[in-house]
Amino acid sequence: MTRFVQQPDYEGAEFIDLSMASATFREVDLSGARMRGVLLLDADIDGAIDGLRVNGVEIMPLIEAELDRLHPERLRLQPTTPETMRDAVDVIEELWQATLRRASVLPEEAVHRSVNDEWSLAQTLRHTIFVVDAWYGHAAALRPNPFHPIGVPASFITNGTEFGIDESAAPTLGEILAVRAERIADLRAYLAQVTQEELDRVRGPNTAIGCPPPAERTAVKCLQVIFSDQWAHVQFADRDLAILEQEYA
């Protein structure tokens, strides 16, 4: 398969009378793309989508409504109060426990296997550690060094080593789960005593090197990012587990 990696010369380009059938687009910015007269049969798209119109209809509100119908727990993952924040943590932990129970019956190697070039379950769990460190430890709590070395940043973050990420780390599942449990316990401790005023207070920016970039934010907005990301990645993990379950059956 021909690979085109980090080639910005495609920005503003026109693709005419080409076949991209069965092509894979990963971490690609398609903002502002215009597609006319395309064939889009049996395609699979996931990502940050907003304002997308198909045949003149903005489809994201329809998708969000259908996702809420299929996954009613999503309605509990846009919390704005201390009580609903605590409930949101319960939701994501229940989801991950169910996923880990499925993974526990597979061979240990399956946890570290990639499916279709996506993150393995181990890498996905390490990413959730990074997200808590980024959006709670860094952005909300304004800590100077919140990042655990085994966290896995998104692929577009290329300077992780500058704020403590060990790109050579190869932790066991047990080590990953122990660190993740510490992060969730830390978050629960914060939410056990936080006030509404504190959640709504605009804080920052955190000028220490890290992720997300420095900006003024409320804890509400930061923690909502965590819950949204956790839900999305447990869906990805379940999707790939279904394939692994078939392979190891």
Side-chain angles (χ1 to χ4, degrees), residues 69-112:
R69 186 187 71 81
L70 294 172
H71 305 281
E73 73 276 5
R74 281 167 44 95
L75 299 174
R76 297 162 60 190
L77 295 179
Q78 288 295 317
T80 58
T81 68
E83 181 181 8
T84 55
M85 290 278 176
R86 293 189 288 268
D87 178 65
V89 176
D90 291 339
V91 170
I92 60 173
E93 287 305 278
E94 289 167 6
L95 291 171
W96 275 114
Q97 289 305 314
T99 297
L100 290 169
R101 283 193 296 271
R102 290 177 60 185
S104 68
V105 303
L106 296 175
E108 172 76 14
E109 66 183 50
V111 174
H112 301 278

Side-chain angles (χ1 to χ4, degrees), residues 113-167:
R113 272 194 56 190
S114 170
V115 175
N116 294 327
D117 294 324
E118 300 287 351
W119 280 336
S120 66
L121 176 59
Q123 290 171 313
T124 298
L125 289 165
R126 291 169 61 188
H127 177 67
T128 67
I129 292 170
F130 175 82
V131 170
V132 174
D133 288 346
W135 288 95
Y136 171 57
H138 180 78
L142 304 182
R143 294 172 180 169
N145 299 293
F147 295 96
H148 196 282
I150 70 168
V152 171
S155 61
F156 58 81
I157 298 173
T158 58
N159 65 332
T161 56
E162 296 179 20
F163 48 88
I165 300 300
D166 180 2
E167 295 180 350

Side-chain angles (χ1 to χ4, degrees), residues 24-39:
T24 298
F25 301 88
R26 193 184 311 279
E27 304 293 345
V28 173
D29 185 356
L30 295 175
S31 300
R34 297 290 182 267
M35 303 180 189
R36 301 289 184 261
V38 299
L39 294 178

Side-chain angles (χ1 to χ4, degrees), residues 8 11 17 20 22 26 28 50 54 58 60 90 92-93 99-100 133 137 141 146 175 209 228 235 240 242:
E11 293 182 6
D17 290 334
M20 293 186 178
S22 300
R26 193 184 311 279
V28 173
D50 189 31
V54 176
E58 185 173 349
M60 204 56 204
D90 291 339
I92 60 173
E93 287 305 278
T99 297
L100 290 169
D133 288 346
E175 291 169 336
I209 188 170
S228 175
Q235 306 308 310
D240 295 344

